[in-house]
Amino acid sequence: MYRKRYYPIIPVLIEGGERTVVYALIDSGATISLFHTSIADDAVIDLDDAEQVYLAGVGGYIKAYVKKQVNVSIEELGRITIPIAFTEYIVSDIAILGRQGFFESFEITFREWEKKLIIKPRNI
């Protein structure tokens, strides 16, 4: 539940020099995960060596900084390393978990009619 509506949102622990928790929307339409730059600051993730890119979205292009290997932990599912694009052009209280790294690591099922999200480790 977010702003009195149901969305597939989960808590994610971001690990850098520090650890911080952010709530992230699971978005199958997003290629890469997108987090506000303040999350990188909170987790002490240095963006000086990140790749600067311009990402296309519904609202046009936004400038972002991509870190190719960020450690994240998902409750009860464990720790994975995913690429994350950090930007100032997203609301700071919600992040987006995109397909790269995240969808490749888990089986994700949306049951809209039940307002239910099911995430299981992928059987390889």
Side-chain angles (χ1 to χ4, degrees):
M1 195 70 111
Y2 177 75
R3 296 183 181 174
K4 298 182 182 180
R5 297 186 69 188
Y6 171 78
Y7 295 97
I9 295 175
I10 61 171
V12 177
L13 176 70
I14 306 298
E15 301 176 35
E18 297 287 330
R19 294 176 169 196
T20 191
V21 174
V22 63
Y23 286 87
L25 172 71
I26 298 173
D27 186 353
S28 62
T31 302
I32 191 167
S33 297
L34 191 63
F35 289 55
H36 193 273
T37 51
S38 64
I39 302 301
D41 292 340
D42 292 347
V44 190
I45 295 173
D46 183 13
L47 298 180
D48 288 340
D49 63 346
E51 177 186 2
Q52 183 177 319
V53 298
Y54 287 88
L55 302 173
V58 175
Y61 288 91
I62 61 168
K63 183 168 68 171
Y65 302 90
V66 176
K67 290 292 276 192
K68 296 193 188 276
Q69 296 190 329
V70 179
N71 294 321
V72 300
S73 295
I74 314 292
E75 283 184 356
E76 300 175 13
L77 296 172
R79 183 176 175 212
I80 59 172
T81 302
I82 62 172
I84 296 179
F86 292 94
T87 185
E88 296 175 7
Y89 304 102
I90 184 174
V91 292
S92 61
D93 65 337
I94 195 80
I96 294 173
L97 279 174
R99 292 189 316 272
Q100 287 182 4
F102 181 70
F103 277 70
E104 296 162 353
S105 299
F106 301 104
E107 177 184 342
I108 301 164
T109 305
F110 298 105
R111 287 192 183 162
E112 186 66 26
W113 68 93
E114 294 178 331
K115 305 275 189 262
K116 189 172 186 178
L117 169 67
I118 301 165
I119 305 173
K120 298 178 187 175
R122 192 178 119 197
N123 294 328
I124 298 176

